[in-house]
Amino acid sequence: MHTPSPTRSDAYAALLEQIRYQGAYATVEQAERVTATVLNALGQQIVGDERVDLARRLPPQAARHFAQAVPGQRPLTAHAFVKALAEATDAPYAITRWHVGSVLGTLARTLDKQVLRRILAQLPSGYALLFGQADLTVASRSVRADEIVQAA
C-alpha cells in the first residue's frame, strides 16, 4: 500500500487514489502526473463562476494545477482539447483520451451535479463524454419533422 507524501492532504490523496484506480495506473505518482496535466489543460477551458466553483471543490493541490492555467479566448471542442493535450505531452491520442477520461470521470463522480451541469453548459458539446456523462445536448440546428422522416 502506498502512503501519501506529507505534502498531500487526505482529500488529495483520496482523489489521486480514485484516479489511479479508475485509470488503472501502476502508481499514485503516475496518477498525480496525469491529474496535474489534465487539470492544467482543463483550467484553460473554463472561465467565470464555474472556474471559481470548480477550484473551490478541488483539494488545494489539485486546485493549484487547475487555477495556474490561463483560460483561452474560446474553449476548444472536446476532440481538439484531447488532441492539443496529446500534442503537448507527445502522447498518442488514444492514451491521452484515456487519461482525460480517467481524471474528468473521477471528478464528475465527486462534484456536485449542479456544478457539473454548469461546467458542461459552458463547454462545447462533447465534453460530457470526457466527464463520463451522457451528452444530451440538443444540436443547435433545428430539424424539421419531414427531414427526420426523409432520413429514415
Side-chain angles (χ1 to χ4, degrees):
M1 173 119 190
H2 180 273
T3 51
S5 71
T7 59
R8 289 188 191 136
S9 68
D10 290 343
Y12 187 51
L15 176 67
L16 292 176
E17 185 56 37
Q18 289 176 33
I19 291 168
R20 187 202 64 76
Y21 179 79
Q22 180 68 27
Y25 300 115
T27 66
V28 172
E29 289 76 19
Q30 184 181 12
E32 187 170 26
R33 283 190 301 276
V34 167
T35 300
T37 301
V38 171
L39 287 177
N40 185 275
L42 184 64
Q44 297 172 27
Q45 305 304 306
I46 300 175
V47 297
D49 291 341
E50 289 74 20
R51 182 180 177 85
V52 173
D53 286 347
L54 178 55
R56 282 187 190 148
R57 285 168 171 75
L58 293 171
Q61 298 92 329
R64 275 193 293 278
H65 296 302
F66 173 74
Q68 73 185 6
V70 177
Q73 294 291 329
R74 256 176 84 176
L76 299 172
T77 65
H79 173 74
F81 173 76
V82 174
K83 185 177 178 187
L85 189 55
E87 290 170 359
T89 59
D90 198 29
Y93 181 89
I95 291 173
T96 303
R97 174 61 180 87
W98 179 263
H99 294 327
V100 169
S102 298
V103 173
L104 299 186
T106 299
L107 286 183
R109 287 187 297 283
T110 62
L111 286 174
D112 174 84
K113 296 304 175 200
Q114 185 176 3
V115 172
L116 180 58
R117 276 193 296 274
R118 288 183 21 238
I119 289 168
L120 291 174
Q122 183 183 110
L123 296 168
S125 71
Y127 276 86
L129 297 174
L130 297 179
F131 280 89
Q133 307 291 302
D135 193 351
L136 302 176
T137 57
V138 177
S140 60
R141 181 174 95 76
S142 62
V143 180
R144 295 187 331 257
D146 61 332
E147 291 179 56
I148 294 172
V149 172
Q150 289 174 354

